[in-house]
Amino acid sequence: METAMYVEVLDREGRLLAEAAETAGVDAEVPTCPGWQVRDLLRHTGAVHRWAAGFVAERHTAARPLGDPPELDGPDLLAWYREEHRRLVDSLAAAPPDLECWQFLPASSPLAFWARRQAHETTVHRIDAESARGGTPGGIAPGFAADGIDELLRGFHARHKSRVRSDKPRVLRVRATDVDGAVWTVRLTEEPPATEPIETADADCEIAGPAARLYLSLWNRQPYPDVTGDASVATLWREASAI
């Protein structure tokens, strides 16, 4: 996906998140994030937006702490979230292609990284807000969902921070059934997971299904669509992969 497309997704998803949060109310429980209410979701996502916009707009080249959200609640909290989301979208849209700033996952450029990361961050949290609102959640485009699976497997869980480890080497296959070529081979060892975006080696376990359902299940928002083989490998991922 082009950077501009990620920014468009971020813009739309953040507005949908705010709409769902407003309908649900800040006191509503968030079923996909046990222990959270909508106010916690807004505070977290708004703080992330503010943090990300700081790197893009102010060109910070070193890591900085996330920082605490302001002590706001109710309509004021919702207005603050909308302001931080708007600032992030505008900062990304105005940033030059050769932007230099800190990033924490590999990407073709810092601008591409932040646009992609925040588009996926906001999409997952939009689903959270809609779970609090109730009713049928909005959809996620299969191609975008497959891109998010790739970011999760080959980005987040390639880092030493990943807690998905196995004393016995295992192979997990992840397959999106509605996107051509969307298959990943994940090797689990005592080191961080090593993922290839192709089908290699025999898998001990395969998790498969439509890309959007697979995306949300790997982010621990839904049950797995379909598991074949040794289900303990899928359970290991579910129990150890929280970020």
Side-chain angles (χ1 to χ4, degrees), residues 97-242:
D98 61 352
L99 169 73
E100 293 187 8
C101 67
W102 180 78
Q103 64 191 72
F104 63 88
L105 295 179
S108 59
S109 70
L111 180 59
F113 163 75
W114 283 111
R116 183 194 199 196
R117 174 80 293 277
Q118 288 303 294
H120 287 295
E121 173 89 11
T122 310
T123 298
V124 172
H125 288 317
R126 182 263 294 177
I127 292 292
D128 294 331
E130 290 179 341
S131 79
R133 178 200 64 194
T136 303
I140 301 172
F144 179 75
D147 178 77
I149 294 168
D150 190 76
E151 184 204 41
L152 179 65
L153 297 179
R154 297 205 295 146
F156 276 102
H157 285 289
R159 301 184 300 168
H160 285 287
K161 289 183 178 181
S162 176
R163 297 182 296 107
V164 184
R165 310 293 174 100
S166 175
D167 294 337
K168 176 183 177 181
R170 312 305 297 272
V171 176
L172 172 65
R173 184 100 66 234
V174 176
R175 186 187 307 275
T177 55
D178 56 348
V179 178
D180 289 343
V183 58
W184 298 263
T185 301
V186 187
R187 297 178 185 274
L188 304 177
T189 65
E190 294 181 342
E191 298 298 318
T195 300
E196 299 173 278
I198 53 176
E199 187 169 350
T200 62
D202 293 331
D204 296 293
C205 174
E206 178 168 307
I207 304 171
R213 290 184 59 196
L214 197 59
Y215 173 68
L216 293 174
S217 71
L218 291 170
W219 275 107
N220 295 322
R221 261 56 182 193
Q222 290 184 359
Y224 293 128
D226 184 54
V227 176
T228 55
D230 185 351
S232 70
V233 180
T235 300
L236 169 65
W237 187 275
R238 172 57 52 91
E239 293 177 347
S241 65

Side-chain angles (χ1 to χ4, degrees), residues 59-84:
R59 314 295 199 263
H60 298 303
T61 57
R64 296 166 63 90
L66 180 63
D68 296 323
E71 293 294 325
L72 298 172
D73 206 353
D76 290 340
L77 175 60
L78 191 63
W80 171 79
Y81 170 76
R82 286 183 162 124
E83 290 170 2
E84 295 300 342

Side-chain angles (χ1 to χ4, degrees), residues 38-61:
V38 167
R39 62 170 52 84
D40 300 302
L41 178 64
L42 289 171
R43 287 169 179 167
H44 166 77
T45 313
V48 171
H49 287 345
R50 181 178 61 182
W51 178 70
F55 291 108
V56 175
E58 299 167 24
R59 314 295 199 263
H60 298 303
T61 57

